[in-house]
């Protein structure tokens, strides 16, 4: 895939609101030197941040070290981003990204504690971060990524929650990030978020009666599944609507490639069949018992406004609040400075943060 | 001045590392609607953030409110940025920016306390912020802006210092921000930083023996003046070298316009004469008694590498550490993710933060 295709697929608002420095973005989407492709460019930015971060750690500058290793992780994320056509490099990039974040985690402010929640014969990996303010039992929000976004990308959004007194648990579910290697996309994502909830409820730092769930992009499909499927969740945010995604053919080509990849099926036909059978919230939606906030950009080119209409039709009307951003793109990443604090506020209020 | 001129003068690395969201930058440097100039565009972004922030405050979402009012302030800063050809609008923009920051200050995390340090028949305005960690007497760094940058722009850099246990006091000096209205550029900037120091030393939250000073861009001239002129400063950072700026004609045209403006002289000849007489560190430099870190981008198009050579020649060799960023532009704003944490680390170490 040519470099310019990647630059066209990448959402600049997302990249920079998640922490990619503008100079890297500008260089990576500009003309690259002969023989350097998109993957090479971002991997090399990652390598440079890694060196800088390790030097800082060696000097004892742990905050800079953690910050730079996170930058390194995020750069490697964008190396392998949408790199579905070349699984070997994609998987190497995914692993490098995850390893760098493991090294960054104890040095982040506040620190991220890696947790591996057992399920079946594998684990659900995630990071727990606690607010810097003191409280007896923090509320907590479980953060779910999307088709190709993972627990390593949510640091800046976590900070918004943490500043508002809400602990965060960013996880990879089936088909996502580290978990993809063991488990591809599944029909019952809610079984995994319930396993996470079992763990979080037992954590002494948290108040198990005030745990919310928030999902972004395809996570806007998973989070409502999680909440409707387990009434212990106290609040739910869908950062982008995705209700019925059973028809692979309605998606842009690169999104389709991503779905084929994460299902881990041998043939496109099998993948298509799995989506057709399972990726629809019609059955679960009426069971939602907690408040839900759904934010959607009208100009979303991946999930159309039809998804919002379905959500309005099927979720209990007294539970769902819908916010349409008239100028918003996918996940309203082009309005991050507005929509992100507002989602964090909503979650903090519903979970009674600061109480 | 045409819109494209402003877009050419503005440093994108600076704007985004200081907090301008990328979508605003992209829209503001792209084609603007008929009848909308650079000033209009940024003022209108500021107005939108102000509405959003005030709504948040009205709902009780104080963190979002403070953050959005800061975004509003920063947008209005870029409206009047380098707008020297149109003093009425520039001054209105400057005042709007300052007022919005006053409204944001108590809601920032951590909060900013506005302080007005009396001097002569006016005051030096500034904002004190304290780290969130507990300590008996915080070290503190005085932050100085440049030719057209002010105390409202340093929030994100302040956060780096605060996370490292160093309190911050961001100030406007003569010719800068709010103080410009009363006092233009002066030869003895150090008299103003000493007045600030008199105040900070008396603050019970601070350790008066551990106060540093850091200046950015033209502040890279002021901060060493402050430190060499008052031996109570314990450490100094020059974020960009500026040593001898007595020759107006060596500067790019828009920088020259800025100098003419901030001197508040009636004629270009008088302004030129003031610079010729006073803007040179040769007399003070040998008196520097605290450690100093000077960081300079080799490709700085405003202050050349000659400024670094002069600094190396005149400051005591056992006091000065010089770091040249080979790929850096003015203030190495294009490498903010690297140079900013490193400067904060250096200052924190010299001030014994965390002790």
């Amino acid at each position: 895939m040519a470099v310019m295709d990647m630059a066209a697929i990448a959402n600049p608002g997302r990249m920079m609101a998640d922490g990619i420095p503008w100079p890297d973005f500008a260089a990576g989407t500009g003309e690259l030197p002969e023989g350097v492709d998109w993957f090479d460019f971002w991997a090399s930015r990652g390598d440079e941040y890694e060196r800088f971060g390790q030097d800082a750690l060696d000097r004892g500058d742990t905050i800079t070290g953690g910050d730079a290793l996170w930058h390194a992780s995020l750069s490697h994320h964008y190396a392998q981003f949408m790199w579905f056509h070349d699984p070997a490099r994609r998987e190497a990039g995914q692993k490098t990204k995850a390893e760098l974040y493991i090294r960054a985690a104890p040095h982040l402010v506040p620190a991220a504690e890696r947790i591996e929640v057992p399920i079946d014969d594998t684990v659900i990996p995630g990071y727990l971060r606690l607010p810097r303010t003191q409280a007896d039992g923090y509320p907590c929000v479980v953060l779910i990524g999307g088709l190709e976004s993972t627990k390593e990308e949510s640091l800046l959004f976590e900070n918004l929650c943490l500043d508002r007194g809400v602990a965060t648990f960013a996880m990879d579910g089936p088909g996502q990030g580290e978990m993809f290697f063991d488990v591809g996309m599944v029909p019952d994502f809610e079984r995994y978020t319930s396993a996470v909830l079992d763990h979080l409820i037992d954590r002494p730092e948290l108040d198990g009666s005030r745990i919310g769930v928030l999902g972004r992009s395809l996570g806007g499909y998973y989070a409502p599944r999680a909440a409707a499927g387990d009434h212990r969740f106290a609040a739910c945010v869908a950062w982008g609507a995705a209700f019925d995604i059973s028809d692979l053919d309605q998606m842009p080509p690169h999104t389709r490639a991503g779905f084929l990849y994460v299902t881990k099926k041998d043939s496109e036909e099998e993948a298509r069949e799995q989506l057709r059978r399972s990726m629809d919230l019609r059955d679960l939606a009426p069971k939602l018992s907690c408040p839900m906030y759904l934010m959607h950009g009208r100009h979303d080119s991946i999930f159309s406004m039809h998804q919002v209409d379905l959500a309005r039709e099927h979720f209990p009307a007294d539970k769902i609040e819908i916010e349409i951003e008239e100028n918003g793109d996918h996940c309203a990443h082009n309005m991050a400075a507005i929509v992100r604090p507002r989602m964090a506020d909503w979650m903090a209020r519903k979970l009674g943060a600061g109480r």
Side-chain angles (χ1 to χ4, degrees), chain A residues 67-290:
Chain A
D67 182 68
L69 291 176
W70 162 67
H71 270 299
S73 176
L74 203 57
S75 300
H76 283 285
H77 168 73
Y78 278 106
Q80 59 81 54
F81 167 79
M82 289 290 183
W83 208 260
F84 303 115
H85 56 290
D86 183 356
R89 275 173 107 192
R90 171 163 168 88
E91 291 176 15
Q94 187 68 237
K95 285 177 176 165
T96 304
K97 158 176 105 163
E99 285 159 12
L100 285 162
Y101 200 90
I102 287 172
R103 287 162 60 192
H107 308 298
L108 299 171
V109 181
E113 177 191 350
R114 184 177 171 92
I115 292 172
E116 300 184 344
V117 177
I119 188 165
D120 304 332
D121 55 352
T122 181
V123 297
I124 304 164
Y127 290 98
L128 178 66
R129 298 176 74 205
L130 302 177
R132 288 194 262 185
T133 46
Q134 291 300 312
D136 281 339
Y138 297 106
C140 181
V141 59
V142 174
L143 301 176
I144 305 172
L147 180 62
E148 44 60 44
S149 60
T150 70
K151 65 192 177 309
E152 288 85 4
E153 282 165 83
S154 54
L155 187 80
L156 299 185
F157 185 76
E158 292 164 25
N159 290 348
L160 298 182
C161 298
L162 292 162
D163 278 347
R164 288 158 178 77
V166 178
T168 57
F169 183 77
M171 64 175 277
D172 288 337
Q176 298 177 313
E178 289 181 79
M179 210 176 180
F180 165 82
F181 295 105
D182 282 350
V183 186
M185 178 177 267
V186 296
D188 57 344
F189 197 97
E190 66 277 17
R191 196 165 66 84
Y192 294 78
T193 40
S194 288
V196 164
L197 199 44
D198 290 341
H199 174 88
L200 295 179
I201 280 174
D202 283 345
R203 295 284 302 205
E205 312 93 326
L206 305 181
D207 175 350
S209 71
R210 296 190 288 156
I211 298 185
V213 60
L214 177 151
R216 169 172 138 175
S217 188
L218 183 58
Y221 170 86
Y222 291 139
R225 269 207 91 84
D230 191 329
H231 292 179
R232 294 175 300 171
F233 279 114
C236 175
V237 170
W239 181 343
F243 191 95
D244 175 351
I245 41 183
S246 60
D247 185 358
L248 197 62
D249 296 317
Q250 286 193 354
M251 297 168 196
H254 52 277
T255 307
R256 207 181 309 154
F259 272 103
L260 293 178
Y261 185 88
V262 300
T263 53
K264 300 180 84 168
K265 296 293 185 197
D266 291 328
S267 72
E268 180 163 336
E269 202 33 62
E270 286 173 89
R272 192 183 305 276
E273 178 58 18
Q274 177 178 339
L275 261 66
R276 204 188 54 70
R277 269 191 297 109
S278 64
M279 295 298 277
D280 184 333
L281 288 171
R282 279 181 180 79
D283 286 350
L284 270 177
K287 299 182 182 158
L288 184 78
S289 65
C290 71

